């Protein structure tokens, strides 16, 4: 058979080890697809002394230069995670003429445009299907199959850990710490769970999707972000009473030459397709002028699904190495304003703790009315439900669509009222 296509890995942890075993298991199929066998070359890790299944000790290295010097390496797969040195290693690999495949949403969200430029300058490709949605094909469809569309919105559940947690809290009434530990045990969570539960991971992913869907740069810091740590069992129960479930929703819209992007726990009507995306499943809904709405749904994290996307990219570039394809042209990004959260507009769910006395509801309603926020519904929950003190209550109000700044003005007034004990939660509401 012809010379192999050499594949080196940066990282052999949860995902890298699964890539190694899948490469071995599927060797014959992959060779048939590419026309040349795939050969595992070098594997970069931190701990070079540890024995690793399917990897010869002579292949293991702690030095990136061993990978870059290896003439048999055509494709570098980055599954180390983190920003640096992963970014620098990817750039060096591209500059040395290697194709790069990565699962690293942080690096792609922060440096994707610059790295794509380097790849383009050096006539190689940078592919990142696994960086968003685990096993769901979404990067390739956005880059190719939906290209004829003007994409106006992307709405997504793109963090498996938090979706797993919120689903377990909704269906089993399980508590936060217990479900977080479960998600970590199953390998869904990032090494530091803060990235998952505070919406940082999802913010990286929606920033990556903005680049592809709208052809614009959105820095992760420009994504308005709220994690799930504020969501209580009571919010979940109240949402259900309102016919909604709470999901950590990542949204991006493009209109009038501006983009807005958010990651927030959001109430979604139970009849909406995204409300039924449970457990570690992810889903990405794209709205385009020609296609209307399309929904991509599937396993969003874990070894098998992530390896599926990584190896799809490896096979794709291996075909380039084997000489059967020409690279896609690189299109420079537009620079547009990122709309700040005060200018976003949505319906809202408000949970407000009050002393249960005459006139409180009227004053809260007046504050909302004065700010131009229209109330859609009000329910009062007494201490038997809230577990609060006698003489207190929780008001759950929902509003019609209103600008974030108007709602913030009303909440500022409400917060200062003597009879208001807390603004328990404020969440956007869909469906
Ligand atoms: P792990 O922490 O399990 O593995 C990281 C690997 O990289 C380890 O082998 C580690 O070496 C190596 N490594 C880390 N830093 C360095 C360094 N500075 N120099 C050399 N080697 C280094 O991470 P995962 O496998 O879970 O995740 C990898 C990537 O995949 C991340 O970007 C993650 O976001 C992404 N991803 C993960 C998914 C999942 O379900 N877990 C899903 C989709 C994407 P050593 O073994 O010696 O510690
Ligand atoms: N921690 C991430 C998640 C892994 O839970 O979705 C996939 O990127």
């Amino acid at each position: 058979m012809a010379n192999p296509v050499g594949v080196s890995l940066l990282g052999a942890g949860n995902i890298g080890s699964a890539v190694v075993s899948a490469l071995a298991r599927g060797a014959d199929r992959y060779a048939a697809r590419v026309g040349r066998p795939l050969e595992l070359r070098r594997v970069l890790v931190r701990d070079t002394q540890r024995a690793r299944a399917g990897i010869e000790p002579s292949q293991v290295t702690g030095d990136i230069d061993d990978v870059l010097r290896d003439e048999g390496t055509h494709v570098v797969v980055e599954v180390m995670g983190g920003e640096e040195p992963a970014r620098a290693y990817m750039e060096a690999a591209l500059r040395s003429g290697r194709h790069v495949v990565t699962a690293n949403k942080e690096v792609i969200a922060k440096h994707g445009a610059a790295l794509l430029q380097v790849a383009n300058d050096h006539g190689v490709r940078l592919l990142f299907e696994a960086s968003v949605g685990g096993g769901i094909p979404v990067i390739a469809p956005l880059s190719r199959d939906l290209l004829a569309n003007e994409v106006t919105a992307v709405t997504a559940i793109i963090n498996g850990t938090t979706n797993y947690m919120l689903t377990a809290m909704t269906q089993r009434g399980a508590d936060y710490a217990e479900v977080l530990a479960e998600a970590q045990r199953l390998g869904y969570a990032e090494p530091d769970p803060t990235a998952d539960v505070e919406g940082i991971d999802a913010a990286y992913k929606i920033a990556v999707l903005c680049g592809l869907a709208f052809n614009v740069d959105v820095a992760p810091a420009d994504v308005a972000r709220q994690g799930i740590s504020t969501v209580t069992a009571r919010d979940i129960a109240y949402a259900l009473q309102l016919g909604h479930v709470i999901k950590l929703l990542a949204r991006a819209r493009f209109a009038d030459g501006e983009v807005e992007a958010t990651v927030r726990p959001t109430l979604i009507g139970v009849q909406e397709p995204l409300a039924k995306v449970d457990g570690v499943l992810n889903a990405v809904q794209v709205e385009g002028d020609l296609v209307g709405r399309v929904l991509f749904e599937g396993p969003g994290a874990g070894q098998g699904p992530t390896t599926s996307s990584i190896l799809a990219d490896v096979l794709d570039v291996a075909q380039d190495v084997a000489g059967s394809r020409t690279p896609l042209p690189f299109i420079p990004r537009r620079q547009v304003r990122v709309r700040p959260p005060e200018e976003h507009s949505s319906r809202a769910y408000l949970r407000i703790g009050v002393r249960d006395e005459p006139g409180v509801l009227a004053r809260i309603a007046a504050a909302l009315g004065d700010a131009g926020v229209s109330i859609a519904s009000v329910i009062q929950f007494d201490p038997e439900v809230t577990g609060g003190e006698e003489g207190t209550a929780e008001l759950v109000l929902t509003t019609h669509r209103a600008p974030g700044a108007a709602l913030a003005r009303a909440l500022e007034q409400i917060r200062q009222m003597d009879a208001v004990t807390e603004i328990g939660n404020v969440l956007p509401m869909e469906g």
Side-chain angles (χ1 to χ4, degrees):
M1 201 168 217
N3 284 343
V5 175
V7 178
S8 285
L9 296 189
L10 312 184
N14 185 26
I15 302 302
S17 61
V19 170
V20 169
S21 65
L23 271 176
R25 260 197 333 271
D28 292 345
R29 260 183 312 123
Y30 302 152
R33 283 275 156 84
V34 175
R36 284 162 60 172
L38 301 184
E39 181 186 38
L40 182 66
R41 300 284 304 181
R42 302 278 183 270
V43 180
L44 179 83
V45 291
R46 262 182 310 226
D47 176 359
T48 55
Q49 300 308 308
R50 184 155 29 109
R52 298 174 191 257
I55 307 174
E56 297 296 328
S58 60
Q59 294 176 306
V60 174
T61 179
D63 180 358
I64 184 66
D65 288 334
D66 283 341
V67 178
L68 299 176
R69 274 196 301 262
D70 176 46
E71 288 186 1
T73 293
H74 304 96
V75 184
V76 170
V77 177
E78 185 279 311
V79 278
M80 299 166 47
E83 185 175 2
E84 295 290 356
R87 185 212 58 81
Y89 291 176
M90 280 193 254
E91 181 176 342
L94 293 168
R95 287 189 186 282
S96 73
R98 273 49 175 256
H99 300 286
V100 170
V101 170
T102 181
N104 193 321
K105 55 239 130 186
E106 179 173 2
V107 169
I108 295 299
K110 293 179 178 171
H111 308 288
L115 288 173
L116 282 165
Q117 182 73 65
V118 174
N120 195 56
D121 292 346
H122 290 79
V124 288
R125 295 170 74 202
L126 167 66
L127 296 183
F128 44 92
E129 185 61 69
S131 66
V132 180
I136 309 176
V138 62
I139 302 293
L142 273 171
S143 313
R144 203 201 81 88
D145 307 298
L146 295 169
L147 218 49
N149 286 264
E150 181 82 41
V151 176
T152 51
V154 177
T155 311
I157 295 171
I158 38 177
N159 183 267
T161 302
T162 47
N163 203 45
Y164 181 88
M165 292 173 67
L166 288 172
T167 303
M169 288 167 76
T170 305
Q171 294 180 348
R172 288 195 264 136
D175 87 17
Y176 184 87
E178 174 193 338
V179 295
L180 175 58
E182 265 174 31
Q184 285 176 308
R185 207 166 45 243
L186 293 166
Y188 304 143
E190 296 296 315
D192 175 1
T194 316
D196 292 308
V197 298
E198 294 306 337
I200 298 166
D201 175 82
Y204 292 145
K205 291 170 178 168
I206 195 72
V208 172
L209 293 179
C210 283
L212 294 164
F214 313 129
N215 192 32
V216 299
D217 275 326
V218 171
D222 288 333
V223 178
R225 181 171 58 78
Q226 179 186 348
I228 66 164
S229 51
T230 61
V231 177
T232 64
R234 290 207 308 286
D235 289 318
I236 289 173
Y238 295 164
L240 283 173
Q241 286 209 27
L242 294 165
H244 287 64
V245 289
I246 298 181
K247 296 286 186 188
L248 184 66
L249 219 59
R251 320 190 54 139
R253 292 193 186 89
F254 189 81
D256 307 324
E258 293 187 345
V259 66
E260 69 180 45
T262 55
V263 171
R264 296 190 69 187
T266 302
L267 279 79
I268 313 180
V270 287
Q271 77 289 353
E272 293 289 320
L274 288 174
K276 301 176 183 79
V277 176
D278 284 333
V280 75
L281 286 181
N282 279 194
V284 180
Q285 179 182 284
V286 180
E287 290 171 47
D289 60 343
L290 299 174
V291 73
R293 274 186 183 185
V294 278
L295 183 71
F296 302 91
E297 181 182 340
Q303 291 185 313
T306 308
T307 298
S308 164
S309 289
I310 290 171
L311 287 186
D313 283 348
V314 168
L315 292 172
D316 192 346
V317 289
Q319 286 169 345
D320 290 338
V321 175
S324 55
R325 212 194 324 271
T326 49
L328 287 172
F330 168 75
I331 306 165
R333 299 260 174 93
R334 288 174 286 174
Q335 297 303 318
V336 299
R337 175 173 178 267
V338 179
R339 197 175 285 154
E342 318 76 83
E343 293 178 27
H344 301 182
S345 174
S346 76
R347 294 171 61 205
Y349 156 100
L350 316 176
R351 170 166 57 82
I352 302 173
V354 295
R355 287 206 303 274
D356 193 2
E357 52 194 33
V360 179
L361 178 58
R363 289 200 292 285
I364 290 173
L368 287 163
D370 289 345
V373 180
S374 164
I375 296 170
S377 72
V378 182
I379 313 178
Q380 176 167 322
F381 295 91
D382 293 329
E384 305 95 73
V385 178
T386 65
E389 284 173 30
E390 206 47 47
T392 65
E394 266 183 331
L395 293 175
V396 172
L397 295 96
T398 68
T399 75
H400 293 295
R401 186 169 287 281
L407 188 61
R409 264 199 318 279
L411 287 169
E412 202 37 55
Q413 269 205 34
I414 292 169
R415 193 172 280 116
Q416 285 165 18
M417 293 174 185
D418 285 346
V420 170
T421 53
E422 65 157 356
I423 306 287
N425 216 340
V426 179
L427 302 174
M429 195 167 173
E430 298 295 327

